[in-house]
Amino acid sequence: MMNFFTEYASPLGRIILESDGANLTGVWLPRQRDGEPEGECAELPVFAAARRWLDVYFSGRDPGATPPLAMKGSPFQLAVWELLKRIPYGGTTTYGALAEEIARQRGLARMSAQAVGGAVGSNPIAILVPCHRVLGANGRLTGYAGGIDKKVRLLGFEGFRTTGDAPDSKIL
């Protein structure tokens, strides 16, 4: 399978967009990935759609539905990433709440929030699959592959005001 990539100049710095030719397969913030992308640099309709989506997002508005996505991961990762897609623009949740939902879906008594955190941290499509909307216990800003400073800024684009380590908002 051929891999394509392009760049997007964002307020957070250079973002790499990756595609299989029809779907987005990766969106990488600075510091989120080592090295340069592999494949062919190209301009594709899915990249144009992703740029439009990101332009709206970075203007502080809800960009709505994402361009087509193709995420590859374990069944557990895919289940967690599906939950991330359900967190509404301007909303947040916690690792613990995600763990409770995964446990409920799988008929388990409990699920490790740390295991969920590992899946969240391996999300290959930053921003569009909003792992930045996941907070630690008591709404604390924790763990973000692109750096906590990027997480704060991403939440800020969605209208959060941060005071100390926690955004001024309720946790969904």
Side-chain angles (χ1 to χ4, degrees), residues 8-76:
Y8 174 81
S10 84
L12 303 177
R14 173 181 166 232
I15 293 177
I16 301 294
L17 307 175
E18 292 182 324
S19 173
D20 60 11
N23 307 290
L24 279 180
T25 57
V27 175
W28 305 99
L29 291 166
R31 294 189 350 214
Q32 214 177 6
R33 174 188 174 138
D34 293 328
E36 293 300 312
E38 294 182 14
E40 180 180 328
C41 184
E43 288 308 317
L44 303 171
V46 71
F47 290 152
R51 281 191 180 97
R52 284 189 301 273
W53 193 99
L54 289 165
D55 286 345
V56 172
Y57 180 85
F58 285 121
S59 75
R61 295 176 292 146
D62 183 350
T66 64
L69 308 177
M71 302 180 79
K72 292 183 178 150
S74 71
F76 178 73

Side-chain angles (χ1 to χ4, degrees), residues 11 31 38 40 42 48 62 70 78-79 87 91 101 104 112-114 136 139 142-143 150 152 154 158 161 172:
R31 294 189 350 214
E38 294 182 14
E40 180 180 328
D62 183 350
L78 292 170
I87 306 169
E101 179 57 20
R104 187 194 66 72
S112 162
Q114 288 80 12
T142 60
K150 302 284 189 297
V152 168
L154 288 168
E158 298 183 33
R161 292 180 317 279
L172 300 179

Side-chain angles (χ1 to χ4, degrees), residues 77-161:
Q77 289 172 321
L78 292 170
V80 171
W81 299 339
E82 283 303 313
L83 291 179
L84 296 179
K85 292 181 200 176
R86 294 185 199 166
I87 306 169
Y89 178 88
T92 59
T93 192
T94 64
Y95 295 100
L98 292 174
E100 288 174 15
E101 179 57 20
I102 291 289
R104 187 194 66 72
Q105 287 178 3
R106 294 179 170 214
L108 302 172
R110 63 178 301 276
M111 170 61 61
S112 162
Q114 288 80 12
V116 167
V120 170
S122 63
N123 169 23
I125 301 181
I127 307 171
L128 288 84
V129 177
C131 50
H132 63 278
R133 295 180 189 151
V134 182
L135 308 176
N138 301 317
R140 297 196 55 87
L141 292 174
T142 60
Y144 190 65
I148 294 294
D149 60 321
K150 302 284 189 297
K151 186 172 194 164
V152 168
R153 291 194 61 202
L154 288 168
L155 291 170
F157 285 111
E158 298 183 33
F160 287 102
R161 292 180 317 279

